């Protein structure tokens, strides 16, 4: 440490990162600033920084960033081939949208499915929004209601998607398999969010029906009929991704398998949709480029966290909060660590999970927390921040739904936050 400071001071760049995460600053610039500060405080040689970044390209966080880019590439292929529109319209029509409740349910399911398949909230809902809005507007669904649906249902796709970045991260940190994660962690948290979202969306619809409405929205084309190429591409997409996921679960493959699943599925879907290989890779690169910033951010985030951890800052912090945990209660620890994640650590959810794991892992071992309980704490502590604050994810979904009703969204977010925290507390009684 510079000036022989206590290791706890190595957390200063992390505190600055959290503050800047809630400000209007480019997230990559935020990480760059904090990497430089952490390098200075921990006396990292300037000449070694190139090697550190090169090493980070092959790190766990670097891989997650690449998976996110490839998910965006797959989304671009689905959009180019017409598969995305076909899937959305098929799901909406299958459920039926002849009433407000059915329209809400259909929108929820559509968002969940596409987000879980693509592993991106903003990317998936950006594809869905222009298709769904004309359909639900005809029924009278308000922008406030659809914003809550996009946020509450859509984000749960990240909880259950087998190769969504958050799931891959938690599986890597806890070493549990996907099936155990889904049964004990992903589905319980998602179900709570689904129930709250459906109830709140219906209440929001009732309260905002005469206040907000979609204007100048073209009537939906209910006679849309996809051609044979689109149907074939959709079939090949569904079959290929299903088989690859099942095969991956059977092999108990690692996180890197997600890259193979996404890439192969994108190529097969593109070919089935009538695209040549040259066009397929052009579309994939264009789609991936939209998430390049996040890949760079994660590559830089790795040395940032490594410098802090190697300085002993997380151990020092745990030592400071140890008096709160003297009871050796799993319930108390689960509550404190979850609240710390939600309200004390900002930024990308994957990065939040890594910070939480570095910070609390020694106590997790000492208290003999089950991997699934710790996985639930990581999931809620990292993802529910998006509901607790009106930050990028929340504002982004409002924008996609064409809603300006921030007050309603904040209330909705608070209820989701309280509900999921209570779930963690109840789950912690089981160990």
């Amino acid at each position: 440490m510079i000036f022989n400071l206590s290791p706890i001071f190595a957390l200063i760049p992390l505190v600055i990162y959290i503050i800047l995460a809630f400000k209007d600053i480019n997230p990559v610039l935020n990480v760059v600033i904090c990497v430089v500060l952490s390098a200075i405080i921990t006396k990292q040689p300037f000449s070694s920084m190139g090697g550190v970044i090169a090493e980070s390209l092959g790190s766990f966080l670097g891989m997650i960033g690449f998976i996110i880019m490839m998910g965006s590439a797959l989304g671009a292929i689905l959009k180019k081939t017409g598969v995305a529109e076909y899937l959305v319209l098929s799901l909406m029509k299958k459920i039926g949208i002849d009433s407000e409740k059915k329209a809400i349910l259909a929108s929820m399911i559509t968002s969940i499915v596409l987000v879980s398949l693509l592993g991106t909230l903003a990317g998936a809902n950006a594809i869905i929004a222009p298709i769904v809005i004309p359909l639900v507007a005809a029924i009278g669904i308000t922008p406030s209601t659809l914003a809550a649906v996009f946020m509450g249902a859509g984000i749960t796709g990240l909880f259950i998607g087998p190769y969504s970045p958050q799931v891959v991260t938690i599986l890597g940190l806890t070493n549990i398999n996907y099936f155990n994660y889904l049964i004990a962690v992903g589905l319980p948290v998602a179900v709570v969010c689904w129930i709250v979202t459906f109830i709140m969306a219906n209440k929001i619809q009732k309260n905002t029906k005469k206040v907000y409405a979609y204007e100048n929205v073209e009537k939906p084309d209910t006679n849309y009929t996809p051609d044979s190429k689109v149907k074939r591409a959709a079939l090949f997409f569904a079959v290929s991704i299903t088989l690859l996921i099942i095969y991956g679960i059977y092999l108990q493959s690692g996180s890197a398998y997600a890259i193979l699943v996404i890439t192969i599925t994108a190529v097969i879907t593109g070919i089935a949709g009538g695209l040549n290989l040259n066009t397929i890779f052009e579309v994939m690169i264009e789609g991936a480029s939209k998430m390049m910033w996040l890949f760079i951010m994660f590559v830089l985030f790795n040395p940032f966290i490594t410098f802090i951890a190697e300085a002993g800052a997380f151990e020092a912090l745990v030592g400071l909060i140890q008096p709160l945990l003297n009871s050796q209660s799993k319930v108390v620890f689960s509550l404190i660590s979850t609240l710390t994640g939600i309200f004390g650590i900002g930024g990308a959810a994957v990065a939040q999970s890594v910070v939480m794991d570095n910070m609390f892992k020694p106590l997790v071992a000492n208290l003999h927390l089950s991997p699934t309980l710790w996985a639930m704490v990581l999931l809620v502590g990292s993802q529910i921040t998006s509901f607790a604050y009106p930050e990028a994810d929340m504002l982004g979904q409002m924008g996609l739904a064409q809603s300006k009703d921030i007050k309603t969204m904040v209330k909705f977010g608070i209820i989701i936050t309280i509900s999921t925290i209570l779930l963690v507390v109840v789950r912690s009684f089981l160990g």
Side-chain angles (χ1 to χ4, degrees):
M1 290 289 294
I2 193 172
F3 306 132
N4 294 318
L5 293 171
S6 167
I8 196 70
F9 285 97
L11 289 172
I12 290 175
L14 181 58
V15 174
I16 293 173
Y17 168 79
I18 293 167
I19 294 171
L20 293 179
F22 294 106
K23 302 292 184 180
D24 186 18
I25 182 174
N26 186 289
V28 176
L29 175 59
N30 183 6
V31 177
V32 169
I33 291 171
C34 295
V35 167
V36 172
L37 286 175
S38 62
I40 293 172
I41 291 176
T42 58
K43 298 172 65 174
Q44 301 295 325
F46 177 76
S47 60
S48 69
M49 290 305 295
V52 169
I53 293 174
E55 186 178 338
S56 294
L57 287 168
S59 67
F60 180 71
L61 275 174
M63 180 191 67
I64 297 298
F66 189 73
I67 289 172
I68 291 172
M69 283 204 306
M70 294 309 296
S72 183
L74 173 59
I77 290 292
L78 294 183
K79 194 169 184 179
K80 180 72 174 179
T81 56
V83 171
E85 183 178 9
Y86 178 48
L87 287 176
V88 172
L89 289 173
S90 296
L91 285 169
M92 296 290 285
K93 289 180 178 179
K94 190 74 174 178
I95 300 167
I97 48 172
D98 55 359
S99 68
E100 291 179 353
K101 287 187 177 180
K102 282 190 176 182
I104 289 171
L105 184 62
S107 301
M108 285 179 62
I109 293 174
T110 302
S111 184
I112 292 165
V113 170
L114 214 58
V115 171
S116 64
L117 289 174
L118 299 184
T120 165
L121 174 68
N125 280 345
I127 293 172
I128 293 169
I131 305 170
V132 167
I133 287 175
L135 294 171
V136 299
I139 301 295
I141 297 298
T142 69
S144 301
T145 303
L146 192 59
V149 167
F150 279 169
M151 184 69 186
I155 206 168
T156 59
L158 300 176
F159 301 174
I160 61 176
Y163 295 111
S164 75
Q166 188 63 5
V167 172
V168 171
T169 299
I170 292 176
L171 296 184
L173 294 175
T174 59
N175 293 317
I176 58 178
N177 62 49
Y178 175 68
F179 181 76
N180 288 338
Y181 164 85
L182 191 64
I183 299 299
V185 183
L187 280 176
V189 178
V191 167
V192 168
C193 290
W194 292 338
I195 292 171
V196 173
T197 297
F198 185 71
I199 293 172
M200 286 298 298
N202 280 281
K203 184 176 180 181
I204 292 169
Q205 175 64 18
K206 182 179 179 181
N207 294 338
T208 61
K209 192 171 183 179
K210 296 181 180 180
V211 182
Y212 302 104
Y214 284 106
E215 298 177 357
N216 303 319
V217 176
E218 293 184 10
K219 291 185 178 180
D221 181 12
T222 53
N223 297 318
Y224 167 76
T225 303
D227 59 28
S228 58
K229 284 185 179 180
V230 173
K231 289 183 177 180
R232 184 174 64 243
L235 176 63
F236 274 77
F237 165 73
V239 171
S240 60
I241 196 168
T242 301
L243 291 178
L244 285 167
I245 288 173
I246 292 173
Y247 186 60
I249 294 173
Y250 170 74
L251 293 179
Q252 295 187 359
S253 55
S255 308
Y257 182 70
I259 299 171
L260 193 64
V261 172
I262 295 169
T263 305
I264 292 176
T265 301
V267 172
I268 289 175
T269 303
I271 292 173
L275 304 179
N276 60 52
L277 286 174
N278 194 53
T279 302
I280 289 171
F281 279 90
E282 285 179 354
V283 172
M284 288 179 67
I285 290 170
E286 183 181 353
S289 67
K290 296 177 181 178
M291 289 295 167
M292 175 64 77
W293 67 272
L294 199 55
F295 172 70
I296 296 172
M297 176 184 166
F298 282 1
V299 168
L300 293 174
F301 201 88
N302 187 68
F304 172 36
I305 294 301
T306 300
F307 294 159
I308 295 173
E310 289 179 349
F314 292 124
E315 288 85 347
L317 178 61
V318 169
L320 288 177
I321 67 173
Q322 187 68 49
L324 295 174
L325 305 169
N326 282 339
S327 64
Q328 294 291 301
S329 169
K330 294 179 181 180
V331 177
V332 173
F333 171 75
S334 298
L335 179 60
I336 291 175
S337 55
T338 301
L339 292 174
T340 300
I342 294 174
F343 299 103
I345 304 173
V350 167
Q352 286 180 249
S353 294
V354 173
V355 172
M356 288 177 65
D357 193 64
N358 275 277
M359 188 183 299
F360 293 113
K361 204 58 177 280
L363 288 174
V364 171
N366 291 339
L367 291 173
H368 303 291
L369 254 69
S370 67
T372 52
L373 173 55
W374 181 232
M376 182 176 286
V377 171
L378 289 176
L379 179 62
V380 174
S382 59
Q383 288 285 178
I384 302 303
T385 300
S386 297
F387 291 99
Y389 299 98
E391 43 85 81
D393 279 340
M394 183 180 289
L395 297 176
Q397 301 317 299
M398 288 178 61
L400 291 174
Q402 301 177 20
S403 172
K404 297 180 181 178
D405 188 6
I406 186 69
K407 184 178 179 180
T408 296
M409 281 295 280
V410 169
K411 288 180 180 178
F412 168 64
I414 290 172
I415 293 174
I416 287 278
T417 302
I418 293 172
S419 301
T420 51
I421 291 172
L422 288 175
L423 174 64
V424 171
V425 171
V426 171
R427 171 65 182 82
S428 63
F429 279 101
L430 302 177

